[in-house]
Amino acid sequence: MRKLLTAIALAASLATPLGAAHATVLTFDDVPGGSIQDTLGPMPATYMGYTFACTGGLCDFGEGYNYLAWIDTVGPGSWEEGATSGDFTLNNPYGGTGVIRAADGSDFTFDGLWARAAHEPGPRDVTLRGFNNGAEIWTQTGTLTDVFVNFGAMAGAIDELRLDFGAWFLVDDVALNERAASVPEPASLLLA
């Protein structure tokens, strides 16, 4: 009996929870090769485990137009549009829909973000949508002006976050919670 209890305790200590999550807040203040004061540039292939692209509008013209950008929005010499934290935000310079995915293709949950219109501050009705395997899981609507507004958390695992915010939007402090893939645990299999 003692050996069985020891084996169960060992298996429990080696096991990682299925569906373990990794919370991330994308601030865009530490983009590798980017986040350079008084400028903007394309998002890298991955940032903090996520990819960034756009579709529709000029984005569909291909290479050189199909990206989202980091941009300095605080301080002299910047675009002085503001941020909710730090100096940098995510920007869509080419219109269309911004798309955020986990670089490894895993599911994640959306825990919130801040957004505003840029360069064209008039009220703009926008939609934030979460998809999983091509199916729409949830939709959140709002209005962008020249002041940051919050889009709150939504329930349901997604593999793609779509920002239907139009051209020249700014997004900051995107909170995502990536779900680890469910993999059988060797220790538990051995115990069984």
Side-chain angles (χ1 to χ4, degrees):
M1 180 69 162
R2 187 173 193 193
K3 287 183 180 178
L4 178 60
L5 291 175
T6 303
I8 291 171
L10 178 62
S13 70
L14 294 174
T16 41
L18 290 177
H22 176 69
T24 302
V25 177
L26 309 172
T27 64
F28 310 101
D29 292 312
D30 55 354
V31 174
S35 299
I36 301 167
Q37 294 294 314
D38 305 329
T39 191
L40 76 148
M43 289 297 293
T46 62
Y47 168 61
M48 296 186 70
Y50 292 89
T51 64
F52 302 82
C54 67
T55 62
L58 287 177
C59 298
D60 288 341
F61 281 122
E63 196 64 36
Y65 294 97
N66 57 353
Y67 67 86
L68 298 179
W70 52 265
I71 184 171
D72 182 5
T73 55
V74 176
S78 75
W79 279 259
E80 297 188 35
E81 302 276 357
T84 56
S85 69
D87 289 356
F88 294 86
T89 65
L90 182 69
N91 172 256
N92 184 0
Y94 296 115
T97 299
V99 179
I100 300 174
R101 296 182 185 100
D104 65 2
S106 63
D107 291 350
F108 56 93
T109 57
F110 170 73
D111 295 334
L113 63 74
W114 291 87
R116 63 160 283 181
H119 300 307
E120 297 171 4
R124 178 190 314 175
D125 292 332
V126 297
T127 306
L128 181 69
R129 299 182 298 160
F131 284 78
N132 198 314
N133 294 320
E136 189 170 313
I137 304 301
W138 52 259
T139 300
Q140 189 175 162
T141 59
T143 302
L144 296 186
T145 64
D146 60 350
V147 176
F148 277 97
V149 294
N150 182 257
F151 288 79
M154 298 295 287
I158 60 175
D159 59 13
E160 183 174 277
L161 179 63
R162 295 186 191 173
L163 310 167
D164 291 323
F165 291 174
W168 292 107
F169 64 73
L170 301 177
V171 169
D172 204 5
D173 295 337
V174 181
L176 305 173
N177 202 348
E178 189 170 358
R179 302 288 177 193
S182 296
V183 177
E185 303 162 15
S188 298
L189 291 176
L190 180 62
L191 182 61

